[in-house]
Amino acid sequence: MNRPEVRKAVFPAAGLGTRFLPITKAQPKEMLPLVDRPSIQYGVEEAIASGIQHIVMVTGGGKRAIFDHFDRSRELELYLEERGKHELLETLAEVNRLSDRCAISYITQKEPLGLGHAVLTAQPIINGDPCAVLLPDDVILGGPPCLGQLIEAYRQTGATVLAARRVPNRQVSRYGIIATAGGSGPLHEVTDFVEKPEPKDAPSDLASLGRYVLAPDVMTELGRIDPGAGGELQLVDAIRRTLATGKVVALEFEGEYYDTGTIPGYLKANLALALQREDLREDLLDVIRTMVDRDELSVRSGSARV
Ligand code: UTP
């Protein structure tokens, strides 16, 4: 069957990032650096590598830095040109190339009324097409681009596709957990979701992470549902309503997943990414080795220093 390709992606980035206060008081969480790039840039690179041609950034007050980051800065380029800083100019050119390869639109969510509401805000641009949703907090690297894997599953099934990963039983209460009716290999047919269950109530160990391909009926349902948990419009409630008439699948994707939306996860991602960089690896290992030598990594001395 001929179905439209997934060419549009929504980046919900209007949240308040309260888990990172005070840094997020005047700084968008999505602009916090992972080594030397803002975390949202990793998601934009993944979307473009997956064939997305139009990104819709859903932003709110205080998020202007996201717009500025993907815009061209002639002033900075001239400054670097005059000083012959060619490597740094190339770094800027890499960012410029992203917005050359993909249209980026900005739309305002006037109040942070939930993830579902943020996605619904993009509806005038999505305009009945299937679309991807990428939560910028979830950074997925290595292997073929995660979103590209989901888009391929959409091509094959026509179903709404959720990115899924198996998590240890003790961690299920941090995630939306997927109930399945079996499936083949990494693809599972979804029958329900349970938000942050106690380990004993979890229907599986498959957690839904921040990448989705939404069939058009999900956007329709988002326009119909009432606010759910926390008084917010929940994306998962709209997806659940499509289970009766449509199909929803979960794909266990290949790739390294980093949850940068919590402080420990954010620090872990920075450490892991810095260790992958040839220009930083040795210096960082030296720092770690010195800490080990001084016994600074043992629980006892660590807690004594806090
Ligand atoms: P999170 O709950 O992880 O982000 O939402 P948050 O609300 O910014 O962070 P905390 O909980 O206060 O620390 C997941 C994604 O959805 C976006 C956020 O920007 C984040 O990228 N979001 C959330 C919106 O765009 N609008 C909302 O109303 C809520």
Side-chain angles (χ1 to χ4, degrees):
M1 187 183 131
N2 258 354
R3 51 178 74 90
E5 288 285 323
V6 181
R7 296 292 186 214
K8 298 176 186 170
V10 181
F11 280 69
L16 301 178
T18 53
R19 280 169 289 180
F20 279 82
L21 281 170
I23 181 63
T24 44
K25 182 163 177 267
Q27 169 73 24
K29 174 174 73 169
E30 299 77 13
M31 289 300 294
L32 296 182
L34 288 179
V35 187
D36 51 10
R37 282 187 268 180
S39 55
I40 196 166
Q41 188 176 326
Y42 292 85
V44 168
E45 287 171 2
E46 177 191 330
I48 293 173
S50 305
I52 294 297
Q53 294 174 350
H54 191 165
I55 283 174
V56 187
M57 295 280 183
V58 180
T59 62
K63 302 277 184 169
R64 192 177 162 98
I66 300 177
F67 177 89
D68 287 340
H69 181 72
F70 292 105
D71 191 14
R72 193 168 173 191
S73 170
R74 271 308 283 153
E75 198 185 334
L76 193 51
E77 286 172 21
L78 281 174
Y79 177 90
L80 296 172
E81 271 162 25
E82 279 166 18
R83 286 158 182 78
K85 306 259 185 196
H86 301 294
E87 259 183 52
L88 293 177
L89 276 165
E90 180 48 30
T91 304
L92 288 191
E94 274 171 27
V95 183
N96 282 337
R97 279 197 286 272
L98 295 174
S99 47
D100 290 341
R101 290 173 63 194
C102 177
I104 306 183
S105 301
Y106 294 84
I107 196 156
T108 307
Q109 184 190 20
K110 294 202 180 77
E111 264 185 278
L113 297 176
L115 174 59
H117 184 261
V119 174
L120 184 62
T121 304
Q123 197 250 347
I125 302 178
I126 300 306
N127 196 22
D129 288 328
C131 69
V133 174
L134 295 95
L135 304 193
D137 278 359
D138 284 358
V139 173
I140 301 170
L141 299 168
C146 175
L147 181 62
Q149 299 173 51
L150 266 60
I151 290 176
E152 185 51 38
Y154 176 77
R155 261 189 214 121
Q156 287 170 15
T157 60
T160 287
V161 188
L162 314 180
R165 174 173 163 268
R166 293 194 183 277
V167 294
N169 194 253
R170 64 178 191 286
Q171 287 181 11
V172 290
S173 56
R174 293 190 207 164
Y175 297 94
I177 300 296
I178 298 165
T180 73
S184 57
L187 206 57
H188 305 266
E189 191 164 331
V190 175
T191 54
D192 204 359
F193 317 89
V194 187
E195 261 320 287
K196 303 184 174 168
E198 289 301 314
K200 64 177 176 28
D201 302 325
S204 76
D205 61 351
L206 274 180
S208 165
L209 304 180
R211 297 286 181 279
Y212 310 80
V213 170
L214 303 181
D217 55 344
V218 175
M219 198 62 100
T220 311
E221 291 302 333
L222 269 175
R224 291 181 179 152
I225 59 171
D226 293 320
E232 297 187 338
L233 217 54
Q234 301 290 343
L235 178 59
V236 65
D237 289 347
I239 297 176
R240 185 182 282 113
R241 289 198 25 167
T242 67
L243 283 168
T245 49
K247 202 172 151 192
V248 180
V249 297
L251 178 74
E252 282 182 71
F253 59 89
E254 283 174 46
E256 269 305 306
Y257 160 70
Y258 301 100
D259 173 11
T260 70
T262 64
I263 291 178
Y266 171 76
L267 296 174
K268 178 181 164 190
N270 261 299
L271 188 60
L273 295 184
L275 284 171
Q276 286 168 22
R277 285 261 300 248
E278 263 179 43
D279 58 332
L280 296 173
R281 186 178 166 79
E282 273 315 308
D283 283 346
L284 196 53
L285 284 176
D286 270 350
V287 172
I288 296 170
R289 282 187 203 109
T290 308
M291 292 174 96
V292 171
D293 287 348
R294 292 187 188 158
D295 205 21
E296 287 179 13
L297 297 183
S298 74
V299 174
R300 187 180 45 79
S301 67
S303 55
R305 278 159 197 275
V306 168

